[in-house]
Amino acid sequence: MLFRSRNIKFKDIKDFSVFIITRQGYYLGYKDKAKKEIKITDEEDTGLREFGRKILNEESGFCDIMINNKKYFASFSPISNTGLKIVVAFSKNEILKPVFNTLITNILFTMVVLLLTIVIMIFIINRNILDPIRQFEQAIKEGIKGNLGQKIRVTADNEIGEMSKNFNIFLTQVGQMKNEIDSYSSMIA
Protein backbone atom coordinates (compact mmCIF):
# COMPACT_ATOMS: atom_id res chain seq x y z
CA MET A 1 0.00 0.00 0.00
CA LEU A 2 2.98 2.28 0.40
CA PHE A 3 4.25 1.51 -3.10
CA ARG A 4 2.91 4.10 -5.52
CA SER A 5 3.77 5.13 -8.99
CA ARG A 6 2.04 7.72 -11.10
CA ASN A 7 -1.03 5.66 -12.01
CA ILE A 8 -0.66 2.35 -10.22
CA LYS A 9 -1.31 1.78 -6.55
CA PHE A 10 0.03 -1.41 -5.01
CA LYS A 11 -3.31 -2.12 -3.35
CA ASP A 12 -5.04 -2.09 -6.78
CA ILE A 13 -2.92 -4.91 -8.18
CA LYS A 14 -4.65 -8.22 -7.65
CA ASP A 15 -2.39 -10.65 -9.49
CA PHE A 16 1.00 -10.50 -7.74
CA SER A 17 3.21 -12.63 -5.55
CA VAL A 18 5.73 -11.74 -2.90
CA PHE A 19 7.82 -14.52 -1.39
CA ILE A 20 11.21 -15.37 0.00
CA ILE A 21 13.58 -18.02 -1.40
CA THR A 22 16.31 -19.69 0.64
CA ARG A 23 19.88 -20.12 -0.60
CA GLN A 24 18.96 -23.71 -1.59
CA GLY A 25 15.88 -22.56 -3.55
CA TYR A 26 13.13 -23.47 -1.07
CA TYR A 27 10.11 -21.25 -0.58
CA LEU A 28 9.95 -19.41 2.71
CA GLY A 29 7.14 -17.01 3.54
CA TYR A 30 4.85 -17.94 0.62
CA LYS A 31 1.06 -17.70 0.82
CA ASP A 32 0.70 -21.37 -0.22
CA LYS A 33 2.09 -23.34 2.76
CA ALA A 34 2.47 -26.52 0.65
CA LYS A 35 5.23 -24.80 -1.34
CA LYS A 36 7.59 -24.84 1.69
CA GLU A 37 8.58 -28.38 0.76
CA ILE A 38 9.25 -27.57 -2.91
CA LYS A 39 12.29 -25.98 -4.49
CA ILE A 40 11.54 -23.24 -7.01
CA THR A 41 13.82 -25.08 -9.45
CA ASP A 42 11.63 -28.21 -9.13
CA GLU A 43 8.35 -26.48 -10.03
CA GLU A 44 6.09 -28.03 -12.66
CA ASP A 45 5.83 -24.77 -14.60
CA THR A 46 8.81 -24.33 -16.96
CA GLY A 47 8.82 -20.53 -16.69
CA LEU A 48 8.91 -20.67 -12.90
CA ARG A 49 11.74 -23.27 -12.95
CA GLU A 50 13.84 -21.06 -15.25
CA PHE A 51 13.11 -18.03 -13.08
CA GLY A 52 14.18 -20.07 -10.03
CA ARG A 53 17.53 -20.86 -11.65
CA LYS A 54 18.01 -17.18 -12.39
CA ILE A 55 17.23 -16.26 -8.77
CA LEU A 56 19.77 -18.77 -7.46
CA ASN A 57 22.49 -17.92 -9.97
CA GLU A 58 22.32 -14.11 -9.93
CA GLU A 59 22.66 -11.61 -7.09
CA SER A 60 19.60 -9.57 -8.04
CA GLY A 61 17.61 -8.83 -11.16
CA PHE A 62 14.50 -7.84 -13.02
CA CYS A 63 12.95 -9.83 -15.84
CA ASP A 64 9.85 -10.88 -17.75
CA ILE A 65 8.62 -14.37 -16.92
CA MET A 66 5.79 -16.62 -18.03
CA ILE A 67 3.99 -18.56 -15.29
CA ASN A 68 0.98 -20.73 -16.14
CA ASN A 69 0.73 -18.97 -19.52
CA LYS A 70 0.53 -15.52 -17.90
CA LYS A 71 3.17 -12.83 -18.31
CA TYR A 72 4.75 -11.25 -15.23
CA PHE A 73 7.36 -8.67 -14.37
CA ALA A 74 9.54 -10.12 -11.64
CA SER A 75 12.27 -8.73 -9.47
CA PHE A 76 14.48 -10.33 -6.85
CA SER A 77 17.08 -9.06 -4.43
CA PRO A 78 19.05 -10.38 -1.46
CA ILE A 79 17.93 -9.63 2.08
CA SER A 80 21.16 -8.37 3.70
CA ASN A 81 23.60 -11.21 4.41
CA THR A 82 20.93 -13.76 5.37
CA GLY A 83 21.25 -15.87 2.23
CA LEU A 84 17.56 -15.21 1.57
CA LYS A 85 16.16 -13.42 -1.44
CA ILE A 86 12.89 -11.54 -1.67
CA VAL A 87 10.97 -12.04 -4.89
CA VAL A 88 8.15 -9.87 -6.23
CA ALA A 89 6.17 -10.73 -9.36
CA PHE A 90 3.41 -8.55 -10.85
CA SER A 91 1.01 -9.36 -13.66
CA LYS A 92 2.24 -7.57 -16.77
CA ASN A 93 -1.33 -6.91 -17.91
CA GLU A 94 -2.30 -5.26 -14.63
CA ILE A 95 0.81 -3.08 -14.58
CA LEU A 96 0.61 -2.04 -18.23
CA LYS A 97 -3.15 -1.51 -18.48
CA PRO A 98 -3.07 1.93 -16.75
CA VAL A 99 -0.02 2.88 -18.83
CA PHE A 100 -1.82 1.99 -22.08
CA ASN A 101 -4.97 3.80 -20.89
CA THR A 102 -2.92 6.91 -20.16
CA LEU A 103 -1.19 6.60 -23.52
CA ILE A 104 -4.52 6.33 -25.37
CA THR A 105 -5.89 9.32 -23.41
CA ASN A 106 -2.79 11.38 -24.25
CA ILE A 107 -2.97 10.44 -27.93
CA LEU A 108 -6.66 11.40 -28.11
CA PHE A 109 -6.02 14.68 -26.28
CA THR A 110 -3.13 15.48 -28.64
CA MET A 111 -5.30 14.73 -31.67
CA VAL A 112 -8.08 17.03 -30.40
CA VAL A 113 -5.57 19.83 -29.72
CA LEU A 114 -4.01 19.31 -33.15
CA LEU A 115 -7.43 19.37 -34.83
CA LEU A 116 -8.38 22.57 -33.00
CA THR A 117 -5.04 24.13 -33.97
CA ILE A 118 -5.63 23.24 -37.63
CA VAL A 119 -9.15 24.71 -37.55
CA ILE A 120 -7.86 27.92 -35.94
CA MET A 121 -5.00 28.15 -38.48
CA ILE A 122 -7.44 27.69 -41.37
CA PHE A 123 -9.63 30.45 -39.94
CA ILE A 124 -6.65 32.79 -39.53
CA ILE A 125 -5.31 32.04 -43.00
CA ASN A 126 -8.75 32.51 -44.52
CA ARG A 127 -9.35 35.81 -42.71
CA ASN A 128 -5.87 37.31 -43.14
CA ILE A 129 -4.80 36.02 -46.54
CA LEU A 130 -7.66 34.64 -48.61
CA ASP A 131 -10.24 37.37 -47.83
CA PRO A 132 -7.90 40.20 -48.94
CA ILE A 133 -7.03 38.23 -52.10
CA ARG A 134 -10.76 37.88 -52.85
CA GLN A 135 -11.16 41.63 -52.31
CA PHE A 136 -8.32 42.24 -54.82
CA GLU A 137 -10.00 39.95 -57.29
CA GLN A 138 -13.33 41.76 -56.88
CA ALA A 139 -11.67 45.20 -57.18
CA ILE A 140 -9.87 44.14 -60.38
CA LYS A 141 -13.14 42.84 -61.86
CA GLU A 142 -14.85 46.14 -61.00
CA GLY A 143 -11.89 48.05 -62.51
CA ILE A 144 -12.24 46.06 -65.73
CA LYS A 145 -15.91 47.11 -65.84
CA GLY A 146 -14.78 50.73 -65.50
CA ASN A 147 -15.64 51.23 -61.82
CA LEU A 148 -12.36 52.75 -60.69
CA GLY A 149 -13.88 54.18 -57.51
CA GLN A 150 -13.81 50.71 -55.94
CA LYS A 151 -11.63 50.63 -52.82
CA ILE A 152 -10.17 47.69 -50.96
CA ARG A 153 -10.78 47.74 -47.22
CA VAL A 154 -7.39 47.86 -45.42
CA THR A 155 -7.64 45.72 -42.27
CA ALA A 156 -4.09 44.61 -41.57
CA ASP A 157 -0.80 46.33 -40.92
CA ASN A 158 1.30 43.82 -42.85
CA GLU A 159 2.35 43.11 -46.43
CA ILE A 160 -1.21 42.46 -47.56
CA GLY A 161 -2.38 45.69 -45.90
CA GLU A 162 0.44 47.58 -47.61
CA MET A 163 -0.49 46.03 -50.94
CA SER A 164 -4.14 47.03 -50.38
CA LYS A 165 -3.14 50.64 -49.70
CA ASN A 166 -0.95 50.75 -52.81
CA PHE A 167 -3.69 49.18 -54.94
CA ASN A 168 -6.17 51.81 -53.67
CA ILE A 169 -3.66 54.54 -54.62
CA PHE A 170 -3.24 52.89 -58.04
CA LEU A 171 -7.03 52.82 -58.59
CA THR A 172 -7.31 56.47 -57.54
CA GLN A 173 -4.54 57.54 -59.92
CA VAL A 174 -5.97 55.49 -62.82
CA GLY A 175 -9.38 57.03 -62.06
CA GLN A 176 -7.85 60.52 -62.15
CA MET A 177 -6.08 59.76 -65.45
CA LYS A 178 -9.34 58.44 -66.91
CA ASN A 179 -11.14 61.61 -65.81
CA GLU A 180 -8.40 63.77 -67.38
CA ILE A 181 -8.58 61.79 -70.62
CA ASP A 182 -12.38 62.08 -70.64
CA SER A 183 -12.04 65.82 -70.00
CA TYR A 184 -9.55 66.27 -72.89
CA SER A 185 -11.68 64.11 -75.13
CA SER A 186 -14.74 66.25 -74.51
CA MET A 187 -12.70 69.43 -75.25
CA ILE A 188 -11.46 68.05 -78.55
CA ALA A 189 -14.79 66.83 -79.63
Side-chain angles (χ1 to χ4, degrees), residues 131-144 146-155 160-161 163-177 179:
D131 283 351
I133 290 173
R134 287 185 193 113
Q135 287 180 16
F136 270 110
E137 182 182 27
Q138 188 61 35
I140 290 170
K141 285 179 182 178
E142 289 295 318
I144 290 170
N147 181 5
L148 299 174
Q150 175 78 20
K151 298 286 182 199
I152 296 175
R153 189 172 38 108
V154 179
T155 58
I160 293 179
M163 213 164 51
S164 298
K165 287 179 198 171
N166 290 334
F167 190 76
N168 287 339
I169 293 169
F170 169 76
L171 285 178
T172 302
Q173 289 176 349
V174 168
Q176 288 172 353
M177 282 189 250
N179 291 340

Side-chain angles (χ1 to χ4, degrees), residues 31-97:
K31 60 186 171 188
D32 182 0
K33 303 294 183 209
K35 291 230 183 224
K36 282 187 177 183
E37 307 298 323
I38 303 171
K39 281 185 168 185
I40 194 167
T41 53
D42 294 337
E43 283 282 357
E44 289 179 23
D45 187 84
T46 321
L48 195 52
R49 271 197 318 268
E50 289 173 17
F51 181 53
R53 285 198 255 326
K54 185 172 180 123
I55 292 171
L56 295 178
N57 292 329
E58 296 179 18
E59 183 68 21
S60 62
F62 180 85
C63 60
D64 293 346
I65 59 172
M66 181 80 86
I67 303 173
N68 297 326
N69 296 321
K70 288 179 83 177
K71 295 178 180 181
Y72 290 84
F73 288 124
S75 180
F76 58 93
S77 185
I79 303 173
S80 290
N81 295 326
T82 61
L84 304 174
K85 291 188 181 176
I86 188 161
V87 180
V88 180
F90 295 102
S91 166
K92 218 173 183 181
N93 290 340
E94 280 192 73
I95 295 290
L96 294 179
K97 186 176 180 181

